[in-house]
Each structure stands twice: as C-alpha cells, then as structure tokens.
C-alpha cells in the first residue's frame, strides 16, 4: 500500500474503534456522551493513533493489540483540545471549522466531557489489560505502555507543557524553555504513541531507542512547522507577518528564532528523524514519508 | 485502637503519602505543582482513603499495598472539587474555609491542575502495578481494582452523576433520578474505595458482596445527611429552611422527599449498611461506627 492509502486505512480503523468505545448511550447523562463524541469524532489528523499503527506495522505486530492504546491517546488529545478551547484558556470559538465544544454544549458540560474523555482513555486501556490473558510478558509490556502514556500525558508531560505555554504568553522566553515547553505540550503524546506501540509489539532495546529518537524529532518538527504555517498563513491573509504579535502573543519558534532559522531547524530535526530510521531499512519507509509529510505540509 | 484514633492514624498515613506523591518540583511548570498541592493537601475528611484502609484492616491486608489506590481516589476526589468549584460550574469562592483553587491560581491553572490530578491518580496506580512482581494473582487483582476505580470515576460513574446534577438544577426530578444521580456523583467513589481495597486484599466473593452493599448504603447515607445538614444549617443561620430554594436550586433528598421522610430514609440505609456487616462480627466494628458517624455527623 502506498502512503496515503495507509493513512486512510488506519484512520478509518481508528475512527471505527473510537466510535465503538465512545458509544452514545440513552442514559440520564446522555448529553455527556453527545459532547464526548462531538469532539472525539469530529475529524482531525489522527496523527497519534496513525503513528501507533505505523510502528505496529514496522515491527510486525498485531493491530488489534495496539488499537486500544492508540485510541486512548486520541481521547487524551481530544480532551486536551476541549479544555484548551475554553474561554478561560485559549477562548476559541471554532476548531476544525466547527464550533468548539463549549460553544455547543456550554462550558460546564465541556469541562466534564474533557474530564470524561481523559478518564475514558484509562478505562479503555484497563479494559484491554483486564481481558488479556495471553502471557505475563505481554501483560507487563501493556502495563508499561499504559504507564508511559500516563506519564507523557500528565504534569511532567502534556499538562506541564500547557502550564509553561500559558505562563509564557506575552513574555520573552529562551529557546531552551521553548523547546522544554514543546517537548511536553506537543511532542509528549507523539512520543507516547510511538513508544507505547513499540512496547506492546515487543520491540528490542535498540529498536525502541531508535523509535524514541524518531518520535522526539518529529514531535519538535510538528511544532516548528505549525509555527511557520501560522506566520505564513497570517501573511497570506493580512499581508503582514504574525510572529510575536500573533494571537495571545505566545512565543513560537518563529518569534524566538526568526523565520529563516526556524526553517533551518525544521530541516535539521527532519533529517535527524530520517537518520534514526536507518536501522529499519525498507520497512521504515512509511515513517520516513510521515516525517517528510510533517515538515512539508501546507506547501 | 478506638474509632477516632484509627481515623487520625489513617488520615496521617494518607496525608504523608499524598505529600510524597504530589511533591512540589522546581521545574518551569512549578505553578502546576503548587496548584495541585493546594487542593490535595488542604484538609478534608479523607473519607474515601480512610474507608480503603479500614477495609484493608478488616480483611487483614497490608496497608502499603492499598495506599497507592486509596491516594489515587483522593486525587480523583480533589480534581472533581476543583472543577466543580469553577465559575462555569458551581462558582464557589470558598472550600473548606479557604479560597477555591481558581481564586488563588486563576481559572486556567485550576482547569489544568484538575486534569493533572486525575492523570496523576492513574500514574500513581500504574507505577505501583509496574513495580509489583509479587504474584500474577495479586497483579490481576490490582488491575481489576484500577479498572473499578476508573469505571466509577468516569462517564458511567462520578462524571455522569455530575452531568445529571447539572441538568437537574432548577427542575423537578423524580426520587428515582435523584438516587441514580447520587449513586454516581457521591456514592461512586465511596464504592470504589471499598471495592478496590477489598480486591487488593484478596476478599472472597461473599465478603466482596457484603462490602459492596455496605458501600452503596453509606454512599447514599452520606448524601442524604449532607442534604439534611444543608437545610438545618441554613435554618440555623437564617431562621428559614433552605429546601427547594437552596443555592442553585438543586434538587436534594430533602426537596424531593421532605425533611421527615429524608430522615427516615437515612435511618433505613444506615440500618442496611450495619446489617451488611453482620458476617464480619467484631472485626466489622470500625466500619459500623463509621456508618453511624456518617449518619449522625453535625448532631
């Protein structure tokens, strides 16, 4: 299968599973299920679960084993977007071209739908672990995968990065702190997607290390590219660069390093990501194309 | 040890563990750790973790094994209070005599501190499971305990109950829906505290069933008593009963059934809770006293 067909196939696989996990139920709290589904099933690139499935293919693993964890990551991603969009956070009215969760269901339900999605991520993984009786070794790998996901999602991972992001608004920050922030805010779940899948598929130490490096680099690449697209998109729309004056004045790779240097950095981390895949030869081709896709999207 | 000494000892045990789990760290996101600790370590009755430890004593289990799960439940409880107090939810300025989390740290940090505490609950439990290598049977019991906690905390448990609560404000609801709501909103974590500890301590089927029944009854008792105290406290302060006119006009056991019937119901569920402990004889004495304490607090 070629690159785009694989993305399509895996996206569909993930969306069917999400639809099943977050079924709408006719219970007194049904608004909650509607709100959870509204954000979870409203499109999006599904880059985290697709990465999990790509790693699974690379390692010759079984998709069914990885799917609950891939979906859990997407639930964590979805909850973080719902809370991020709240008036007290980024105060966004639209996401993916649709009104944000709180615009449709109200702020209170949006807070609770986010909470429920984070909780659901663990319910889905624990349900899988509970049912699994194949071998003690696989059980331990799954527990480790879950623990990695929890770690990267929490105060030392994504949520910690969000706090740094919040507190950096309107301030000058160092390149070091910017990298610290994005290594948590954006890259953490991307790393979790790659590493958790590798663990479940039984990767050896060296493969695991290489994939970890790959995920770190594409996580950063993803953010730098986002920052570049923001500026260039803004430029196209208004004729003036956004940079430091961008919405909420959040520091970005472009505002800290300038556009030229940011583009150089993007090439550099993409190159590093590609190098880390060397050991996989031909098998690494999807992940290679994905790294290139991330750094060239919108062009 | 007598009843109050036990409560004191167990509370201290829990608070020391919470202090350790949620250590303040000198990292760029340190505001987050401060905000998490502010709500987690600000007192409270610690009724859920104390229940877990009491069940552990009853079954002759090892406190150290139960403690991570007891603390996780307290983290889940703390996160739910932070989010509950937000302006878009109950809009409370004070909790336990101190300004609420968002009053001190702002709404955005309060949302994230809640998210991080929920996530942390799973980190703590997974960390324990990862380290545990004592036996496959214990491992499976712990996974089951974690899964029970996740289930009772999420959309089919506490969060679901909060949604029903939210949507019932200012409406007439049936006694049936009121019980449905509280069985989730309040009783769910109380049940989770009892059942998870019983599982970890290796309870047999019959003991588990009896303890499950006990926890269901005291969960309801706890809420009825809260509703009665609200009305009687309001009466003492203002000279007029709160009842249906109480804050936010949320339906309560008193507003739905009237004060007299609510008191009768409280006696009834307390009686049932006591009966469910019959099989434990003398050993059940702490849990018996706790049931009586819950239904007579404030008198």
């Amino acid at each position: 299968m070629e690159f785009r067909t694989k993305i399509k196939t895996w996206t569909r696989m993930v969306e069917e599973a999400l639809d099943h996990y977050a079924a709408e139920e006719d219970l007194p709290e049904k608004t909650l299920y509607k709100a959870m589904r509204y954000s979870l099933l409203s499109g999006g690139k599904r880059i985290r679960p697709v990465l999990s499935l790509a790693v699974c293919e690379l390692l010759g693993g079984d998709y069914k084993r990885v799917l609950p964890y891939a979906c859990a990551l997407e639930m964590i991603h979805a909850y973080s977007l719902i809370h991020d969009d709240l008036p007290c956070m980024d105060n966004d009215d639209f996401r993916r071209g649709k009104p944000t969760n709180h615009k449709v269901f109200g702020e209170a339900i949006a807070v609770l739908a986010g909470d429920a999605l984070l909780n659901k991520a663990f319910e889905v993984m624990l349900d899988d672990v509970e049912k699994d009786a194949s071998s003690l070794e696989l059980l331990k790998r799954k527990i480790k995968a879950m623990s990695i996901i929890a770690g990267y999602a929490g105060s030392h991972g994504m949520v910690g990065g969000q706090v740094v992001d919040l507190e950096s608004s309107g301030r000058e920050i160092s390149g070091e702190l910017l990298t610290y922030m994005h290594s948590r805010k954006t890259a953490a779940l991307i790393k979790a997607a790659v590493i958790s899948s590798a663990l479940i598929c039984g990767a050896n130490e060296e493969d695991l290390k290489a994939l970890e490096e790959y995920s770190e680099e594409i996580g950063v690449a993803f953010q730098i590219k986002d920052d570049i697209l923001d500026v260039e998109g803004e430029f196209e729309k208004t004729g003036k660069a956004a940079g430091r004056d961008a919405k909420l004045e959040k520091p970005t790779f472009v505002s800290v390093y300038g556009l030229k240097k940011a583009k150089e950095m993007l090439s550099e981390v993409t190159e590093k990501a590609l190098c880390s895949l060397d050991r996989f030869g031909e098998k690494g081709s999807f992940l290679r194309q994905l790294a290139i896709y991330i750094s060239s999207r919108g062009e």
Side-chain angles (χ1 to χ4, degrees), chain A:
Chain A
M1 273 194 289
E2 57 142 344
F3 185 66
R4 298 212 171 250
T5 317
K6 278 188 184 173
I7 291 203
K8 234 185 196 166
T9 310
W10 290 335
T11 303
R12 197 167 42 230
M13 204 184 272
V14 167
E15 289 183 346
E16 278 172 16
L18 290 174
D19 181 59
H20 163 77
Y21 287 133
E24 195 168 329
E25 292 178 74
D26 191 20
L27 291 169
E29 68 275 16
K30 61 183 168 221
T31 315
L32 178 62
Y33 301 112
K34 280 187 209 297
M36 290 164 77
R37 289 175 64 84
Y38 179 78
S39 291
L40 188 62
L41 300 169
S42 67
K45 292 183 289 287
R46 312 294 187 199
I47 198 153
R48 294 152 197 81
V50 162
L51 262 170
S52 297
L53 295 177
V55 168
C56 177
E57 188 204 35
L58 168 70
L59 296 169
D62 179 349
Y63 292 139
K64 281 198 300 295
R65 278 194 184 153
V66 171
L67 212 45
Y69 303 80
C71 288
L73 277 159
E74 193 64 12
M75 289 176 187
I76 295 172
H77 177 58
Y79 111 75
S80 77
L81 298 182
I82 298 177
H83 285 184
D84 249 7
D85 289 337
L86 286 169
C88 67
M89 304 272 282
D90 282 356
N91 194 19
D92 277 316
D93 293 349
F94 289 91
R95 157 96 43 202
R96 296 168 189 157
K98 288 169 66 184
T100 43
N101 201 290
H102 64 272
K103 281 281 158 188
V104 179
F105 297 96
E107 283 181 56
I109 293 287
V111 169
L112 294 170
D115 294 345
L117 278 170
L118 170 56
N119 199 93
K120 186 85 189 175
F122 290 102
E123 287 175 69
V124 165
M125 293 187 284
L126 285 164
D127 194 45
D128 174 71
V129 167
E130 245 199 289
K131 280 182 194 147
D132 194 316
S134 32
S135 82
L136 181 59
E137 203 231 320
L138 182 60
L139 186 64
K140 289 197 164 175
R141 284 179 172 272
K142 284 183 172 180
I143 290 168
K144 176 88 187 158
M146 227 190 308
S147 187
I148 291 276
I149 290 172
Y152 278 120
S155 52
H156 287 86
M158 184 184 70
V159 183
Q162 285 171 303
V163 169
V164 179
D165 188 30
L166 203 66
E167 296 193 326
S168 319
S169 283
R171 287 198 195 165
E172 298 255 348
I173 67 167
S174 66
E176 204 188 348
L177 187 59
L178 187 75
T179 304
Y180 179 95
M181 169 176 101
H182 285 306
S183 152
R184 283 154 185 79
K185 187 175 151 55
T186 318
L189 288 194
I190 287 175
K191 282 186 273 186
V194 169
I195 301 170
S196 61
S197 174
L199 282 166
I200 294 167
C201 297
N204 62 38
E205 277 301 313
E206 293 76 24
D207 286 355
L208 197 61
K209 207 169 151 262
L211 288 167
E212 212 168 325
E213 217 178 295
Y214 168 79
S215 64
E216 174 75 44
E217 303 300 344
I218 58 162
V220 178
F222 192 81
Q223 188 61 49
I224 302 179
K225 184 66 191 186
D226 251 15
D227 291 352
I228 293 173
L229 283 173
D230 268 359
V231 180
E232 297 190 331
E234 193 65 18
F235 186 78
E236 269 170 35
K237 268 192 285 174
T238 65
K240 62 177 185 182
R244 195 164 298 179
D245 302 323
K247 190 175 175 223
L248 289 175
E249 299 187 17
K250 285 193 174 174
T252 70
F253 280 98
V254 177
S255 73
V256 170
Y257 293 102
L259 188 58
K260 185 164 167 276
K261 173 81 178 145
K263 285 186 174 180
E264 281 167 26
M265 289 167 80
L266 178 60
S267 300
E268 218 170 275
V269 293
T270 305
E271 189 55 42
K272 276 195 199 164
L274 296 176
C275 282
S276 65
L277 296 173
D278 279 353
R279 59 182 287 106
F280 299 111
E282 187 48 44
K283 279 191 192 166
S285 107
F286 179 89
L287 291 180
R288 252 177 232 113
Q289 283 172 279
L290 192 67
I292 293 164
Y293 166 77
I294 285 172
S295 71
S296 61
R297 88 208 126 95
E299 280 169 16

